[in-house]
Amino acid sequence: MNTEKTSAPTDAPVVNPEAAHDAVTAVDPRLLVREQGFAGYISEFKRKLHAGDLGSIPVVIGLIVICAVFQSLNSNFLSAKNLSDISVAMVATGMMAVGIIFVLLLGEIDLSVGSVSGVSGAIVAVLSVTHGMNEWLAVIVAIASGAAIGALHGFFFARIGAPAFAVTLAGLLFWLGFMLQLLGDQGTINLDGDGVVGKLTTYYFSDVAAAYGLAAIAVAGFFLSAFVDNRRREAAGVPSRPLGDIVLRTVLLAVIAFAAAVMFNQYRGLPLALVLFLVVLVLTDFVLRRTTYGRKIFALGGSVEASRRAGINVTAVRISVFAIAGTFAAIGGLFWASKIAAANQSAGAGDLLMNVIAAAVIGGTSLFGGRGRTWNALLGVMVIVSIQYGLSLQGIATPIQYMITGGVLLATVVIDSVTRKTQKSAGRA
């Protein structure tokens, strides 16, 4: 058997010369910055604009516009109190959005996260309040239950072959009924405001050193991570960023981080809820971008068949991803229970599910799979909660808030679709 590989002739005709002419050559941005200096940023931006690959830039610009508009309408919008309240209010939805991002990276959807979050709060309330179980143990049981529920959904999807949409829609209804059954006739179980769950959204690190310390740790961690990664790339002989580029990025992060620290210290201090959310984002981002498991998730989002042929256990990865979504739905449910200091029948209902999905998509995660980062949850939920708080300050009715949030989500989905088409025409998809 002849295994000799033959290379294509160099003078082979181009099948589609128009597409070849319009294709955008992918150039490592590190190389552009190293060779062209500041002009490299402009060149990279133009290339991304032409290729439809702007990442989180539109979201950041949109967030700046939102803040500018609402501040011009009401000077209290950018006050320390309002911004601190926004940072706490966004954590519950943001936690759930992190789990949804894992599912969206597969190109799938989980409609049950709202109900699962309600079940989580109900489990903690019933076990700790009604049955007197230690609250820490009740929290662990609730989170483990969320993971088990997600894994069950993943089993029906990955092993049985049922569509994820149908499985999780059934889960939405089933777990909603299960939550109502747990809460019983009274429908509401109050939680101890000074307990483990109660303090999730009410505890603040009042010492000014806490906020400044977290800012310093974040800046130092970013610089060291970027510097070490750069050294590894240099050692491997692949494009790397110049030291000045890393320093510039670090300075920009420092300005944002310490400005936030100053703001928090002007009110009640650093919120525990935000600290936990940031820790989750760092850890999950590391899992997705720095581990073999994370690469498997992105590979599945790109092509299931190619991943299977590459030796990836498609079934196991799919089940684990839905288990992760269930876990973060349960964690988000605990934050919602903390916010109202109770578990009640309205938990997980209303616009929660839509806000969770919207936060992931608005932040930059593709509905078509294969593109996104857990940091998208932070950007997306900041947009949603900022709009909600800004409209509330103006006394805008809830129906109008729904309409505006829906419009923002539609615009994001349209941008995502146009981006994919642009990338295909540019030869990047």
Side-chain angles (χ1 to χ4, degrees):
M1 179 173 149
N2 184 11
T3 59
E4 183 180 355
K5 295 182 180 179
T6 59
S7 59
T10 56
D11 58 348
V14 178
V15 177
N16 190 345
E18 291 80 7
H21 180 269
D22 292 335
V24 177
T25 303
V27 180
D28 195 302
R30 302 173 187 85
L31 192 59
L32 284 173
V33 174
R34 181 174 289 277
E35 293 180 349
Q36 303 178 17
F38 182 77
Y41 290 107
I42 300 177
S43 299
E44 175 63 5
F45 177 79
K46 291 180 179 179
R47 184 194 67 79
K48 286 186 174 183
L49 183 64
H50 187 237
D53 184 21
L54 291 179
S56 300
I57 294 178
V59 187
V60 175
I61 294 175
L63 190 59
I64 293 174
V65 172
I66 289 170
C67 292
V69 169
F70 284 124
Q71 178 66 14
S72 66
L73 296 174
N74 192 316
S75 59
N76 290 324
F77 182 79
L78 292 180
S79 66
K81 179 183 183 305
N82 193 59
L83 292 178
S84 180
D85 289 345
I86 288 175
S87 69
V88 174
M90 70 183 187
V91 172
T93 303
M95 287 288 193
M96 297 170 67
V98 169
I100 280 289
I101 286 174
F102 276 80
V103 177
L104 290 178
L105 288 174
L106 296 182
E108 302 296 339
I109 194 68
D110 188 344
L111 301 178
S112 68
V113 291
S115 297
V116 175
S117 71
V119 169
S120 171
I123 288 176
V124 167
V126 170
L127 292 180
S128 63
V129 177
T130 305
H131 297 289
M133 178 183 287
N134 177 272
E135 193 173 3
W136 276 108
L137 182 57
V139 168
I140 294 174
V141 171
I143 296 175
S145 297
I149 291 172
L152 180 63
H153 294 163
F155 172 81
F156 282 109
F157 164 60
R159 179 67 69 179
I160 306 301
F165 178 90
V167 171
T168 56
L169 179 60
L172 182 154
L173 298 173
F174 181 88
W175 300 115
L176 175 60
F178 183 72
M179 178 193 70
L180 298 178
Q181 184 68 27
L182 280 178
L183 292 176
D185 296 334
Q186 65 187 75
T188 300
I189 300 177
N190 294 324
L191 296 172
D192 180 9
D194 294 326
V196 175
V197 175
K199 288 186 176 180
L200 286 177
T201 57
T202 60
Y203 185 83
Y204 291 77
F205 297 97
S206 56
D207 191 333
V208 295
Y212 292 129
L214 181 61
I217 291 173
V219 172
F222 174 82
F223 177 80
L224 290 176
S225 176
F227 182 77
V228 171
D229 183 63
N230 232 38
R231 293 294 296 271
R232 289 176 178 174
R233 296 183 68 88
E234 289 176 354
V238 296
S240 59
R241 297 186 184 278
L243 180 60
D245 178 65
I246 297 177
V247 172
L248 176 61
R249 292 168 179 265
T250 303
V251 169
L252 291 176
L253 176 62
V255 170
I256 296 173
F258 281 96
V262 171
M263 180 272 297
F264 286 127
N265 285 331
Q266 287 179 350
Y267 182 50
R268 297 177 60 184
L270 181 65
L272 171 63
L274 182 62
V275 174
L276 296 176
F277 187 33
L278 293 176
V279 170
V280 164
L281 290 175
V282 171
L283 293 178
T284 51
D285 182 69
F286 177 84
V287 169
L288 283 178
R289 297 198 305 120
R290 301 291 184 177
T291 67
T292 302
Y293 175 72
R295 289 191 287 271
K296 289 178 180 179
I297 294 176
F298 280 105
L300 277 178
S303 173
V304 175
E305 185 56 33
S307 300
R308 184 178 286 111
R309 293 186 178 185
I312 295 176
N313 189 332
V314 174
T315 299
V317 173
R318 282 175 163 176
I319 292 175
S320 66
V321 164
F322 276 88
I324 289 172
T327 300
F328 282 106
I331 294 174
L334 297 180
F335 279 90
W336 278 112
S338 173
K339 188 177 180 180
I340 61 175
N344 59 32
Q345 295 179 342
S346 64
D351 61 342
L352 176 59
L353 173 61
M354 292 300 101
N355 282 341
V356 170
I357 297 175
V361 176
I362 291 173
T365 303
S366 176
L367 283 169
F368 302 97
R371 190 179 82 243
R373 295 180 60 180
T374 51
W375 286 99
N376 296 150
L378 175 62
L379 291 175
V381 77
M382 285 176 66
V383 169
I384 291 175
V385 178
S386 294
I387 291 175
Q388 292 174 343
Y389 268 67
L391 294 175
S392 296
L393 286 176
Q394 295 304 115
I396 305 297
T398 300
I400 303 300
Q401 296 184 29
Y402 286 167
M403 294 167 64
I404 293 177
T405 304
V408 172
L409 176 59
L410 176 61
T412 304
V413 173
V414 170
I415 292 174
D416 185 30
S417 300
V418 172
T419 296
R420 283 179 59 84
K421 291 181 179 180
T422 305
Q423 289 177 342
K424 286 182 178 180
S425 65
R428 290 174 55 85

